[in-house]
Amino acid sequence: MFEIEAVELGEERVRFCISFDVLIGDAWSFQLLAKEMVQLLVNPDLELPKFDLSFRDYVLAEQKLRESELYRRSWEYWQQRIPNLPPAPELPLVKSLESVTKPQFTRLSHTLSRELWQNLKQKASVAKITPSSLLLAAFSEVLTTWSKSPQFTINLTLFNRLPLHPDVDRVVGDFTSSTLLEVDNRGQDSFTSRCIKIQSQLWQDLDHRYVSGIEILRELARNRSSNTGALMP
C-alpha cells in the first residue's frame, strides 16, 4: 500500500519517488511522513521522538466515544435533521447514470492570482466569513445555477482528528470522515448573506460531528424508499 524508490541523478543527487495509498493515511499524515523523511535525510543519525499513541488506540477510543453524552447529543441532533434533509442536487445529465457502464472522472483546476485571492480573503474577513466557507458557498452557487431545485444536500469531507489524546496530531492514519450539509438558496439573498447562512449551518453541523456522514446516509436509506434517494455527491 506504499512504495518508495530512489532515482540516482548523478553528482550525488537523488530523487525520491513516493506513492501512498490514501487508505493508510490522510493529507495531514502524508505531510507528517514527508517532514520526518526530510529530517532523516538531513540527519541520518536522528532519533525521532517516540510516543505511546497508535492509530489503533485512536480507533478504539473513538468507538468508546459512542457511549458518551457527546455522541448521544449528536445522534439526537441528526435524528431531528434527517426527515427534512433535501435530496442531492438534481443536475442535467447527458444520459442516465444507469446507462453508464464505465465511469470516467476528470479533474478540472484553476489557480487564482495571489492578489485576487488576498482580496477575496480580506473581503470575507470583513464579513466574518472563513476562506473555506467562501469557497463552499461559491461551489454551492454553481450547483444552484444548474440544479433543478435550489435546495439540496451535499457531502463534505472532514479531516476529523478528534482531540482524544495530546499526540493525536502526530499519528499517521486515515482520520477522514464526512458530514452532510444542507444548502438552501431559494431566497433572493446576496452572495454574502448566502455565505454567512452556509457557514452558520456548517458550524452547527460540525458541533455534532461525532456522528459521521456515513451513519447519517445509512439512516437516510432506511427512512427513504428510493434506492438512490440517500446518495449525496
Side-chain angles (χ1 to χ4, degrees), residues 20-38:
F20 280 99
D21 195 305
V22 293
L23 288 174
I24 62 173
D26 52 24
W28 179 261
S29 296
F30 297 142
Q31 289 183 29
L32 285 175
L33 289 171
K35 181 180 177 182
E36 291 185 353
M37 185 175 180
V38 169

Side-chain angles (χ1 to χ4, degrees), residues 43-92:
N43 182 5
D45 297 324
L46 175 70
E47 285 195 19
L48 294 170
K50 297 179 181 179
F51 53 99
D52 298 329
L53 184 68
S54 70
F55 183 63
R56 179 180 182 275
D57 295 331
Y58 177 87
V59 171
L60 293 175
E62 189 182 32
Q63 290 175 352
K64 188 74 175 174
L65 195 65
R66 298 188 176 204
E67 302 170 10
S68 69
E69 180 67 17
L70 270 176
Y71 185 88
R72 186 188 66 79
R73 286 203 302 265
S74 293
W75 184 243
E76 288 177 353
Y77 169 82
W78 285 109
Q79 285 283 15
Q80 293 173 4
R81 295 287 316 284
I82 283 172
N84 300 313
L85 275 178
E90 297 181 67
L91 303 176

Side-chain angles (χ1 to χ4, degrees), residues 21 27 40 84-85 112 148 151 154-155 200 204 206-208 226 232:
D21 195 305
L40 291 170
N84 300 313
L85 275 178
L112 300 178
K148 186 176 180 181
Q151 187 181 22
I154 54 178
N155 199 341
S200 176
Q204 186 176 328
L206 291 181
D207 281 340
H208 302 89
S226 170
M232 305 297 178

